[in-house]
Amino acid sequence: MKVERLLFVCFMLISLTTCTKDESLAEANLPSPNEVNSLVGNLFIKQMRSQIGRSECFTRSLGGTPLYEYTILAVGYNWGLHYAIPYTDENGIINGCLIFPVDESLPTEEKSPEGTLGTPIRLDETLLAQTPITSLYVCMAPFLNWKNKGLTVKSYLIDKAELLEKCVRIVDDENSQTRSSVSILSGNSWEEGDAVNITLQIYSEAIVDVDAKGYNYTIVNLNRIEDLMRDRFRNPEKPGFIAYSQHYNHYQDGNRRGISKAEIQFFRVIYGLIMQQEIDDFLKYLINREYRKFHLSIQYSYHMKHGMFYRGKPSRPGSGGTGTGGVSTGGTSSNNGETSSPQTPNTDKIVEDTSGLTPEQLGKLEDALSELNDKFCFAGKIIDYLAEKNYKYTSVKIDSTMFGSAGAGILWKDGKVVGVNLKFQTKEDIDFQAVGHELIHLLQVEQGVYSGQEVRGMMEYERVLIDDILYYAHVTTEQLFNGVNGGSWGYISNEKRDKWKSLSKEYNSWLEKTISKGLPESISADDFKKWADLFAISKNGYLADGGYNYNIDYAPKALQKVLNLSKGCIK
């Protein structure tokens, strides 16, 4: 260990002492910004040329031929915001990269791609050999990225990272093997059980663009990840018991580098394999859903201990309890910023959080939306409209305890709708008809018609009337639902059959007249209200004597919106 530290110090001294302010050697070796097509590479060259001493420092630190086109801007490990520039050997194989920290003295939120370049760090075989296994994946992350972009990379720069993607590496940690007598602990503020300390280290490539004000960059929000961790791993049996939760700023040589690590400790009786699966599922959600637009690499380590733990907030990590355990680590990353789970473009448009579904269930939902879109043009128009308004289901999940096969649960607070949850009773209930049913309800809520339980009947009636009008106007070639009259007379009770027959005949005549010239521009308030009486007595599952109210004022805003949207479906 002492020898490794000495090598590292010597390496850093070499890097520091070669950074002079003599630009005579360097300027001739640097391309002009116009010669580099990459936006990030172009910006890096501009920064190098504009800051005294950086070009010379860069040139002397290189271990090969730089690939400016593949320069990335990222945040991660102990480097904070930085540029990473790969270089190759004489055979064109990447054998290292230079890490150029940016604005080292500033907090993360004040750093800028156009900021002050620091002293470069040569990330190569020598430095990686000195890196702890619990941080090795994020240090190898840029090399994995370049390999995914089709470049050839030396195996020693990515081999261990690829292993960590495939399996869990168990690491001995002498600090985790401590034991303490529980007899010295007293009082009801201590509790015996299992605790897990999870650490996530993040390496995130920035999304960079430029406007009239200059260059902008976007990175992942670690505070958001911490909140998601807390929600995901909170003990359902003891929801208020989280022994420790804190994110860290990394400090090195007295300079603020940037946030790149999140840690949470929670108290829960859980087995190691279950813990592994929960972490895997959480990381898949982060990479494939929450941050699918980013190229994001995450190394996780978790330390399980059994012992006595304090119900409170320790002053520092590890002071919350005593026990035995070990550390496990692994890594995962997105593929160039694109999801590695089944592609779900339609689902992404209308569902915010899909973590309540397995990949198989999510694929089934996407298939149902695709089939709905293919069969019913108006459904695709609704999806696109909701996506444009950024109005989505809050979440989607399987709920075996629910009544009915599918439903849209309205989240209601202080007299206002704050969200809509999509639920299915089983995986088999996810089909295009159920999804189409709930899609119209989402549109109705977006249009502001939901004011409480009393409007449920009118919402169901409006949903079916929409389908009838579009079908008979030949906008669609098949019906999605049974129709306002509910089907044949055999479904209607004897005491209401005559009324149903009369109203149904009138309704059919009205429908024929209404669509005689094609899709109508609108439906009058009187007509809309009249046929609600027919729907109320039809065998449709929403009977007036079953708690559904049809004798209320209701503005058919969703109907009017669909009529407007469906004009684009007429060929």
Side-chain angles (χ1 to χ4, degrees):
M1 181 60 71
K2 289 183 178 179
V3 173
E4 290 179 348
R5 288 178 179 173
L6 180 60
L7 286 172
F8 182 73
V9 170
C10 290
F11 166 78
M12 291 302 296
L13 284 174
I14 292 172
S15 294
L16 290 172
T17 54
T18 55
C19 294
T20 69
K21 294 185 179 181
D22 182 3
E23 296 290 279
S24 57
L25 289 174
E27 289 293 344
N29 296 324
L30 281 178
S32 71
N34 295 332
E35 296 178 284
V36 179
N37 295 321
S38 160
L39 178 63
V40 176
N42 180 288
L43 176 58
F44 174 71
I45 295 298
K46 288 180 180 178
Q47 297 305 101
M48 290 284 293
R49 287 181 170 273
S50 66
Q51 298 178 27
I52 296 176
R54 295 303 90 192
S55 298
E56 173 71 6
C57 190
F58 172 76
T59 302
R60 291 187 179 276
S61 301
L62 277 172
T65 303
L67 302 178
Y68 298 107
E69 297 288 352
Y70 292 92
T71 301
I72 62 175
L73 182 72
V75 173
Y77 190 49
N78 291 340
W79 307 314
L81 182 67
H82 63 274
Y83 289 98
I85 307 91
Y87 54 78
T88 64
D89 62 15
E90 63 277 6
N91 297 315
I93 301 174
I94 293 177
N95 62 334
C97 75
L98 283 188
I99 303 293
F100 252 101
V102 182
D103 284 341
E104 294 178 274
S105 61
L106 297 178
T108 300
E109 61 274 10
E110 296 179 20
K111 295 177 186 289
S112 166
E114 299 175 274
T116 303
L117 298 176
T119 301
I121 300 168
R122 184 188 293 176
L123 184 59
D124 57 10
E125 182 180 16
T126 301
L127 189 56
L128 289 174
Q130 302 170 38
T131 304
I133 188 69
T134 49
S135 298
L136 195 56
Y137 185 81
V138 287
C139 289
M140 291 183 167
F143 298 111
L144 285 174
N145 181 339
W146 290 316
K147 180 186 176 183
N148 289 334
K149 291 178 179 178
L151 300 178
T152 304
V153 181
K154 288 287 188 180
S155 61
Y156 54 72
L157 299 176
I158 56 175
D159 53 0
K160 292 184 176 62
E162 291 178 328
L163 287 175
L164 287 170
E165 285 184 334
K166 297 176 182 178
C167 61
V168 179
R169 175 72 179 269
I170 305 300
V171 182
D172 292 330
D173 181 358
E174 60 182 4
N175 294 323
S176 70
Q177 303 301 322
T178 57
R179 294 178 178 272
S180 176
S181 171
V182 299
S183 62
I184 63 172
L185 305 175
S186 61
N188 58 13
S189 60
W190 292 83
E191 188 162 346
E192 183 176 6
D194 293 329
V196 180
N197 194 88
I198 302 175
T199 300
L200 301 184
Q201 293 190 73
I202 312 297
Y203 190 89
S204 169
E205 285 194 33
I207 297 175
V208 183
D209 60 27
V210 62
D211 57 26
K213 296 181 179 180
Y215 290 87
N216 307 296
Y217 79 101
T218 306
I219 58 174
V220 299
N221 187 328
L222 191 74
N223 291 328
R224 168 67 175 162
I225 292 178
E226 185 190 38
D227 289 341
L228 291 170
M229 288 174 69
R230 185 183 294 107
D231 292 342
R232 179 71 179 232
F233 296 109
R234 189 181 298 275
N235 188 344
E237 297 177 358
K238 298 177 181 179
F241 192 99
I242 292 183
Y244 182 77
S245 174
Q246 182 176 334
H247 63 264
Y248 296 92
N249 276 312
H250 274 288
Y251 294 91
Q252 182 170 320
D253 298 329
N255 295 322
R256 303 182 73 168
R257 295 283 183 166
I259 299 174
S260 60
K261 182 188 289 187
E263 182 168 342
I264 185 170
Q265 177 174 313
F266 63 96
F267 184 91
R268 189 170 183 179
V269 178
I270 193 165
Y271 294 103
L273 290 177
I274 300 176
M275 184 69 257
Q276 177 66 46
Q277 185 60 55
E278 289 205 10
I279 292 176
D280 286 346
D281 290 345
F282 177 66
L283 296 186
K284 287 176 183 177
Y285 168 74
L286 285 182
I287 286 174
N288 297 330
R289 309 299 303 174
E290 185 78 16
Y291 292 112
R292 60 185 178 275
K293 294 181 180 180
F294 291 85
H295 183 100
L296 177 63
S297 300
I298 304 175
Q299 177 155 8
Y300 63 87
S301 300
Y302 65 92
H303 175 200
M304 299 185 66
K305 297 203 300 183
H306 179 81
M308 297 296 291
F309 299 91
Y310 182 66
R311 278 185 174 275
K313 220 172 187 182
S315 59
R316 59 185 179 84
S319 65
T322 58
T324 60
V327 174
S328 300
T329 189
T332 186
S333 67
S334 58
N335 184 16
N336 294 324
E338 298 181 1
T339 175
S340 59
S341 66
Q343 297 296 308
T344 55
N346 290 306
T347 305
D348 293 344
K349 290 179 180 179
I350 60 169
V351 184
E352 185 69 34
D353 179 6
T354 59
S355 61
L357 298 182
T358 65
E360 181 183 8
Q361 294 163 351
L362 183 59
K364 192 170 176 61
L365 176 58
E366 179 64 24
D367 290 343
L369 282 166
S370 296
E371 184 176 2
L372 180 68
N373 199 348
D374 291 341
K375 290 184 174 182
F376 302 93
C377 172
F378 79 92
K381 298 296 184 182
I382 293 175
I383 291 172
D384 290 341
Y385 167 77
L386 292 172
E388 180 182 349
K389 295 295 184 180
N390 195 30
Y391 199 89
K392 302 182 179 184
Y393 290 111
T394 308
S395 66
V396 59
K397 68 177 181 178
I398 301 295
D399 183 0
S400 60
T401 66
M402 69 177 293
F403 178 78
S405 59
I410 308 296
L411 304 179
W412 190 257
K413 183 178 181 181
D414 298 330
K416 295 181 180 179
V417 176
V418 295
V420 184
N421 290 332
L422 177 60
K423 298 189 293 184
F424 301 93
Q425 189 177 59
T426 68
K427 180 188 73 174
E428 287 68 31
D429 293 317
I430 305 176
D431 59 32
F432 76 91
Q433 288 179 310
V435 171
H437 183 136
E438 305 307 333
L439 178 65
I440 293 178
H441 285 330
L442 182 63
L443 175 65
Q444 289 169 325
V445 177
E446 186 273 334
Q447 290 290 300
V449 302
Y450 185 83
S451 57
Q453 293 289 312
E454 68 277 2
V455 302
R456 292 182 303 155
M458 295 300 285
M459 290 175 68
E460 299 295 352
Y461 159 60
E462 182 186 30
R463 167 182 61 82
V464 177
L465 181 60
I466 289 171
D467 187 46
D468 271 359
I469 293 174
L470 295 181
Y471 174 69
Y472 286 101
H474 302 291
V475 175
T476 59
T477 58
E478 62 180 283
Q479 285 191 276
L480 190 55
F481 312 119
N482 287 331
V484 169
N485 62 10
S488 69
W489 63 268
Y491 289 95
I492 310 305
S493 61
N494 289 331
E495 65 271 19
K496 295 180 180 179
R497 185 172 301 169
D498 289 341
K499 182 179 180 181
W500 176 85
K501 283 185 177 180
S502 176
L503 281 175
S504 188
K505 184 177 180 179
E506 287 185 60
Y507 174 69
N508 289 337
S509 297
W510 169 83
L511 198 57
E512 183 178 354
K513 180 180 178 181
T514 300
I515 58 87
S516 61
K517 296 182 180 180
L519 188 69
E521 291 289 333
S522 62
I523 302 298
S524 72
D526 289 342
D527 284 341
F528 177 78
K529 187 173 183 179
K530 181 177 182 178
W531 307 123
D533 293 338
L534 173 60
F535 186 78
I537 63 173
S538 299
K539 185 65 175 179
N540 52 47
Y542 306 99
L543 299 178
D545 54 10
Y548 290 89
N549 193 348
Y550 299 97
N551 189 26
I552 62 171
D553 291 331
Y554 180 92
K557 295 180 180 179
L559 170 59
Q560 186 60 56
K561 176 58 68 175
V562 173
L563 291 177
N564 294 339
L565 292 173
S566 297
K567 293 176 182 178
C569 295
I570 301 174
K571 299 179 181 179

